[in-house]
Amino acid sequence: MTKHVLPPEIAAEAEQSTILVRGGAMRSGFDETCEALYLTSGFVYGSAAEAEAAFKDDSQRFLYSRYRNPTVQMFEDRLRLLEGAEACRATASGMAAVFAALLCKLRAGDRVVASRALFGSCNYIITELLPRWGVQTTLVDGRDLSAWEAAIGREVKVTFCESPSNPAMDIIDLAEVARLTHRAGGIFVVDNVFATPLLQKPLKYGADVVVYSATKHIDGQGRALGGAILCSNDYLKNDLGQFYRHTGPSLSPFNAWLLLKSLETLELRVERHCRTALAIAKHLETHPKVTRVLYPGLPSHPQHELAKRQMALGGSVVCFDIAGDKEACFRFMDALKIVDISNNLGDAKSIVTHPATTTHSRLKPEERATLGIGDALVRLSAGLEGERDLIADLDRALAEV
Ligand SMILES: *Cc1c(COP(=O)(O)O)cnc(C)c1O
């Protein structure tokens, strides 16, 4: 005995803010206000015949939480409505989402083209794991459409990118990469973590699959790992469904419950993150100890026009070069009194990272140079603290440089 908290015919037309609070929620016979947490691994059957029928057609009921779970399904349905996708599968982490989204589609002999500016673990999957399994992979400068065209050639199975990219804030023309991919018979997978489901809708630009690390803005409060794959019913039926069911990247119902509650405040948080990030970016641009600021929402960003077309706001991450070297960056970071040093992002707490010695330390120095990740680069994830306090903290620390 469950019923939709938001009737499906209203959900289909509802505003984003309404979906974030009510979309996908199912109320049990107890009429609870808050989404219920179904912390169970399995489900029981009234008879052996019912179990037999359930295994023949599991679309009407739950069998086992590795496949589907009511709390996880509420999270999947809310995200699916938000993204405008036909289907969603939630995963235990963002990397489980990336891995499953790519691997369910690929076999030995296939070709993959991806942008070079990738999250470290995505880079590992593309450049180390896939070649080991006989998949040919090519990395391109994601900003260069002629490089995409040349690498995609006449036939490609999957193309993959993140936009904005981490940490150089490259913007990739999603509509054009989708067009080139489809012309060559492939599917286009977009890692939309930096943009969040609110600021950029890759499916609208022709992407076939969107992946998230829900660990970042969706949780946004440093509590839980999670991820999600958004796709078409066909992709779920032909590629992802069985792969997901039998390899077990499933999200825990407890984490799904946390993430469902987080979605209720996502819009408020993301708007605030973006407002603070823009104010910080503008301030740093005028600071004598800062030599370069990379933020898609600034007119000085080399791809500002494309960012404005594709994204509603500039995002929560600002990257900048400090006048000096690695030592200068470390002095700056160590002098911060509010902003934390950590490698997470999209959190309520503001965070700085030195990519060259942490998230991107696995790359060779030449590779980092190609990606614009120098020793002077700092990545700042603007949190939800007061804007004046954050700017004062940055100024105080820059004075130590
Ligand atoms: C964090 C992140 C991931 C991986 O997500 P996890 O939840 O940490 O596994 C993938 N892509 C991008 C762009 C990220 O920022």
Side-chain angles (χ1 to χ4, degrees), residues 105-122:
K105 193 73 196 172
L106 293 168
R107 51 218 67 200
D110 285 344
R111 290 184 56 245
V112 172
V113 178
S115 62
R116 189 171 289 121
L118 290 178
F119 183 72
S121 301
C122 299

Side-chain angles (χ1 to χ4, degrees), residues 272 276 279-280 283 338 385-396:
R272 176 67 171 268
T276 305
I280 289 175
H283 178 76
I338 296 177
E385 304 93 336
E387 183 183 302
R388 260 183 301 126
D389 287 341
L390 291 175
I391 289 178
D393 198 33
L394 297 170
D395 281 351
R396 201 161 42 224

Side-chain angles (χ1 to χ4, degrees), residues 118-193:
L118 290 178
F119 183 72
S121 301
C122 299
N123 178 287
Y124 172 80
I125 291 178
I126 301 275
T127 62
E128 299 204 22
L129 277 188
L130 293 182
R132 214 196 273 173
W133 294 333
V135 175
Q136 284 180 50
T137 65
T138 310
L139 292 181
V140 297
D141 179 338
R143 296 164 299 184
D144 181 352
L145 288 172
S146 56
W148 279 105
E149 183 162 20
I152 287 170
R154 263 186 272 156
E155 201 180 333
V156 78
K157 195 60 165 285
V158 174
T159 56
F160 178 67
C161 77
E162 58 186 70
S163 179
S165 72
N166 173 23
M169 298 286 130
D170 293 347
I171 307 291
I172 290 165
D173 190 329
L174 301 179
E176 279 303 303
V177 176
R179 189 180 65 79
L180 294 169
T181 304
H182 294 155
R183 202 174 67 180
I187 64 154
F188 181 28
V189 180
V190 175
D191 178 338
N192 205 37
V193 170

Side-chain angles (χ1 to χ4, degrees), residues 91-98 117-122 160-166 191-195 211-217 224-228 343-345 379:
T91 55
S93 69
M95 285 322 302
V98 171
L118 290 178
F119 183 72
S121 301
C122 299
F160 178 67
C161 77
E162 58 186 70
S163 179
S165 72
N166 173 23
D191 178 338
N192 205 37
V193 170
F194 269 54
V211 290
Y212 288 104
S213 163
T215 318
K216 309 296 165 57
H217 309 79
L225 293 177
N343 41 288
N344 202 358
L345 60 95
R379 186 185 80 190

